[in-house]
Amino acid sequence: SGNMEDPLLWTVVQFAVCSRILTVVLQAVLNFLIPDHKPNVFSPPRLYKFNHWDTSVEFFFSGFSHWDAEHFLFIAEHGYLYEHNLAFFPLFPLCVRTVAETFLWPLQWTLHLRSRLLLSAVLLNSAIFVLAAVALYKLGCVVLQNRKLAYLSSLLYCITPANVFMAAAYSEGVFALMAFSGMYKLEKRQRLLSCILFSFATAARSNGIVNAGFLIYTHVKHSVLQLTADIHAAPKPLWKLRSCRSLLKSTLLIVVETAVIFLPFILFQYYAYQNFCVHNFSPERKIPSELVELARTKGYHVVNARKKLPTWCFQFYPVAYSYIQDVYWNVGFLRYYQFKQIPNFLVALPIIVLGFWAAWHYVIMDPSYCIRLGLVNRNKGREEFETGYHSFRVFVYAVHAAVLLVFGVLYIHIQVVTRFLMSSSPLVYWFCAHLLQKSEPLVYADKSYITTSSSPQQSHAGGSFLHDILRNYFPINPVTELLLQWKKCTLTTKCILGYFLSYWLFGLVLHCNFLPWT
C-alpha cells in the first residue's frame, strides 16, 4: 500500500519524526555543553547586531550552521557573491530562502533574515527527511517486492550514519528526496515525472547527473527484451522494421531525458560564466563593505568584479564547478592519498566496506546475470531472484552504488563518502536490512514487525533509563526492539546498528561543534 493507511508506512513516518526531534534536541544540548572549535573556514561577518530573538535561534540551532552549511546560508542570504560559492548548487538555498520569505515571513519583525534562514533550513530539512524516508519505503516495496524488507530499510534510514548532514543546512536531504522519488516514479513507469525529479536532484547536487543512468538503462533493457521477443515471434523483415523503429524511439528518448537531467548543471555553469566572466550581464551590485573587505582579506573573486577575470573563464568549455573543486578544495584523482589523511580513511572505512560488500554480495549470487548486464530474463524457480535483495530489479541500483563508491574513493575527500553514498543510493540500506533479516532471529520473527505499543507480556529489558525512553517516546519497530534486546542480538546486528548509531551520534558531537567529521 502506498498511503498512510499502511501501518508499516505510518510507523516509518513516526520513527522519522522522532529521529528529527531527537536530533535537534541533542544538537542544542551538545552545542551548549561542548565549546566550538575555531577552524580557519569560510565565516562571513554578520551585517547587523543580533537581538535576543536572533540569539535564541543561534543558541538552539547554530550547530546546524557550521562548515559547508555556512555557504548555503550565505548564498540564501546574498546570492552567489563569491566565486567559491559556485561549488554549491542552487536548489537548496533557493528553497531555504523561499520558506524564510513565505512561511516564516511573519517573523521578520522579530528575527533578522539570517536567523530566519537558519530556522528555515532546520524546519525544511526535517520535513524533507520524513518525506525521503517515505519515498525510500515506497521504492523498496516496488523494487524488493518485500514490504518487510522495505520497512526495515526505511527504519535504518531514520538512523542513517549521515544523520547530521540530513539535519544541518546541507543539500543532502533534498537530494535524497529527489533521487529516491525519481527512482520510485521510474519503477512505476512514470518516466516524465521521474526525469523531472532527477533534474531537480541535479539542481541540488552535481552527482545528480549520474541518475541519468537509470533512465538510459531502462530504455536499453526494454529495447533488448523487445528485440529478443520480436526475433522469436515475427518474420525477419518485420522484426527488423520493428527493431529499427524501437531503437530510434529509445535513442531519441534517451537524448531528450538525459538533456533534461543535465540541464540544471549546464544552466548553472552558464549563470556562473555570465556573472563572473561577462561584466555587463547585470547591473553592478552594491556589495556591503564588510563583505568586500572579507574578499580583499581572503583573496576571494567577487561577482561582477572589474579586476582580472578567473582563469576558468578562458577555458573552451568554462565550467566553474570543476575549477573550484580543483583550486579551492584540491579535489582530484588520488589527491587525498596522503599519510596525514589516514584518520579520514578510517572514518570512511565502514561505508566503503559495506558499499563494496553490498555490490559483491549481489553479483556473486548470479554472476552470469550480472555479466550480461541484467539485459536478459532470469530463469524462474528461485524465490530470492524474484523478491528481496537479490531480485533482478536491484541490479541497476548495485551498479549505481558501485560507480558512486569507486568515484568517491578515487576522487573526492574520502571522509565525504559516507554522506555521498548514503544520500544517493538505497542499496546500503537494503543490504543492511537484508543482513538483519537473514541473521537476526528477533527480526525475521513476525512479532518484530508489531507497529503498535508494546503489551505488558512483551519482553522488557531491565527498565533502564534508555529502555524507558525507547518504550515511552519511540514507536515500537524492529530497530527499537533490537536496541531493547541488545544483549540477545547477533554479532551482525550489533555491528550494523553499532555503526549506524555511533555515526549518528558522533556526527552531532563533532560537526555541531566545528570539529572535523564526514
Side-chain angles (χ1 to χ4, degrees):
S1 174
N3 53 51
M4 296 310 295
E5 293 177 0
D6 183 346
L8 298 185
L9 178 56
W10 177 237
T11 305
V12 168
V13 171
Q14 289 178 304
F15 195 50
V17 170
C18 290
S19 170
R20 293 310 85 201
I21 294 172
L22 185 59
T23 294
V24 172
V25 171
L26 276 178
Q27 172 271 153
V29 172
L30 294 168
N31 201 30
F32 172 74
L33 295 177
I34 304 173
D36 281 355
H37 176 57
K38 301 294 183 183
N40 182 25
V41 293
F42 181 63
S43 182
R46 302 293 177 256
L47 305 182
Y48 43 78
K49 186 177 180 180
F50 275 12
N51 60 39
H52 67 279
W53 294 109
D54 295 313
T55 304
S56 298
V57 170
E58 285 290 316
F59 176 82
F60 285 110
F61 304 116
S62 64
F64 291 142
S65 65
H66 294 163
W67 298 105
D68 288 354
E70 191 66 75
H71 288 276
F72 285 111
L73 294 172
F74 181 84
I75 293 166
E77 184 174 5
H78 300 287
Y80 288 91
L81 189 62
Y82 300 135
E83 179 188 52
H84 64 286
N85 294 145
L86 295 169
F88 304 92
F89 278 44
L91 180 62
F92 179 68
L94 180 62
C95 291
V96 169
R97 181 63 179 257
T98 300
V99 172
E101 298 286 21
T102 54
F103 294 103
L104 301 183
W105 176 80
L107 299 179
Q108 64 177 318
W109 290 282
T110 55
L111 293 175
H112 286 97
L113 178 57
R114 156 72 190 204
S115 300
R116 281 188 284 131
L117 291 171
L118 177 55
L119 183 58
S120 168
V122 175
L123 295 175
L124 183 64
N125 269 347
S126 296
I128 284 173
F129 184 88
V130 177
L131 294 175
V134 170
L136 181 59
Y137 172 76
K138 291 182 177 181
L139 175 65
C141 287
V142 176
V143 174
L144 306 173
Q145 293 291 299
N146 184 322
R147 287 176 62 245
K148 290 182 178 179
L149 190 58
Y151 172 54
L152 186 54
S153 305
S154 301
L155 295 177
L156 289 175
Y157 177 80
C158 294
I159 55 170
T160 175
N163 170 54
V164 69
F165 301 102
M166 302 293 191
Y170 275 63
S171 60
E172 270 74 7
V174 69
F175 181 83
L177 174 60
M178 295 301 163
F180 294 161
S181 298
M183 295 170 191
Y184 170 68
K185 293 301 179 183
L186 183 59
E187 293 289 346
K188 299 294 286 184
R189 299 185 180 181
Q190 299 177 31
R191 288 178 182 166
L192 176 60
L193 188 52
S194 172
C195 186
I196 293 171
L197 289 167
F198 283 150
S199 182
F200 277 118
T202 304
R205 293 183 62 80
S206 62
N207 57 296
I209 60 178
V210 179
N211 291 325
F214 287 104
L215 286 159
I216 295 172
Y217 180 79
T218 298
H219 286 297
V220 170
K221 184 168 184 176
H222 178 267
S223 297
V224 170
L225 294 178
Q226 186 64 48
L227 177 61
T228 304
D230 289 342
I231 289 175
H232 289 92
K236 188 172 183 179
L238 186 58
W239 72 253
K240 280 188 174 181
L241 179 62
R242 287 181 179 176
S243 62
C244 288
R245 187 167 54 190
S246 176
L247 182 62
L248 183 62
K249 179 181 177 182
S250 295
T251 302
L252 181 62
L253 286 173
I254 286 173
V255 170
V256 172
E257 291 171 352
T258 301
V260 171
I261 293 174
F262 275 69
L263 187 61
F265 183 92
I266 296 170
L267 290 178
F268 188 52
Q269 302 314 305
Y270 177 76
Y271 166 86
Y273 178 79
Q274 293 288 4
N275 275 267
F276 285 85
C277 304
V278 181
H279 292 316
N280 297 324
F281 177 69
S282 61
E284 190 72 26
R285 292 168 61 173
K286 182 173 177 59
I287 302 173
S289 58
E290 297 92 336
L291 300 182
V292 173
E293 180 60 30
L294 177 66
R296 186 180 297 112
T297 302
K298 297 289 187 178
Y300 297 154
H301 283 288
V302 182
V303 65
N304 282 350
R306 297 292 179 180
K307 298 179 182 179
K308 184 179 179 181
L309 294 178
T311 57
W312 59 267
C313 292
F314 302 99
Q315 296 174 352
F316 187 74
Y317 293 107
V319 179
Y321 180 76
S322 56
Y323 169 84
I324 292 165
Q325 292 287 356
D326 176 17
V327 173
Y328 286 89
W329 278 276
N330 193 34
V331 173
F333 182 64
L334 298 183
R335 289 188 188 178
Y336 223 59
Y337 282 71
Q338 305 170 23
F339 282 110
K340 66 180 181 180
Q341 301 298 345
I342 288 177
N344 286 323
F345 275 85
L346 294 176
V347 168
L349 186 60
I351 191 60
I352 295 173
V353 171
L354 266 177
F356 283 124
W357 185 15
W360 175 251
H361 191 72
Y362 183 85
V363 170
I364 203 65
M365 282 293 290
D366 193 352
S368 63
Y369 178 75
C370 296
I371 289 172
R372 290 178 288 180
L373 303 179
L375 298 177
V376 295
N377 285 319
R378 238 175 185 170
N379 294 325
K380 306 289 183 179
R382 294 188 62 176
E383 184 181 350
E384 65 266 34
F385 288 167
E386 300 300 318
T387 63
Y389 182 74
H390 295 290
S391 163
F392 69 89
R393 301 173 185 86
V394 176
F395 172 78
V396 68
Y397 298 93
V399 173
H400 172 252
V403 168
L404 291 179
L405 195 53
V406 169
F407 176 81
V409 169
L410 296 180
Y411 281 91
I412 68 177
H413 293 184
I414 197 68
Q415 69 271 26
V416 176
V417 171
T418 302
R419 58 185 167 100
F420 178 66
L421 191 62
M422 287 298 203
S423 64
S424 305
S425 169
L427 190 78
V428 174
Y429 300 108
W430 291 343
F431 180 59
C432 289
H434 169 75
L435 291 179
L436 290 179
Q437 268 201 340
K438 290 295 183 183
S439 65
E440 182 54 67
L442 296 173
V443 169
Y444 60 67
D446 286 344
K447 65 188 179 74
S448 296
Y449 289 90
I450 296 172
T451 57
T452 56
S453 299
S454 302
S455 62
Q457 287 76 26
Q458 283 183 282
S459 60
H460 195 286
S464 68
F465 176 74
L466 175 60
H467 295 95
D468 290 340
I469 290 290
L470 286 172
R471 287 198 175 276
N472 294 329
Y473 298 102
F474 282 84
I476 297 301
N477 59 58
V479 170
T480 54
E481 284 288 351
L482 289 173
L483 294 176
L484 287 166
Q485 303 185 53
W486 181 262
K487 292 182 180 179
K488 298 180 182 179
C489 292
T490 63
L491 179 60
T492 299
T493 298
K494 290 180 179 178
C495 288
I496 292 173
L497 292 185
Y499 166 57
F500 273 67
L501 289 174
S502 61
Y503 274 54
W504 190 96
L505 181 60
F506 288 154
L508 290 173
V509 173
L510 297 173
H511 179 90
C512 294
N513 290 287
F514 252 134
L515 295 165
W517 187 235
T518 65

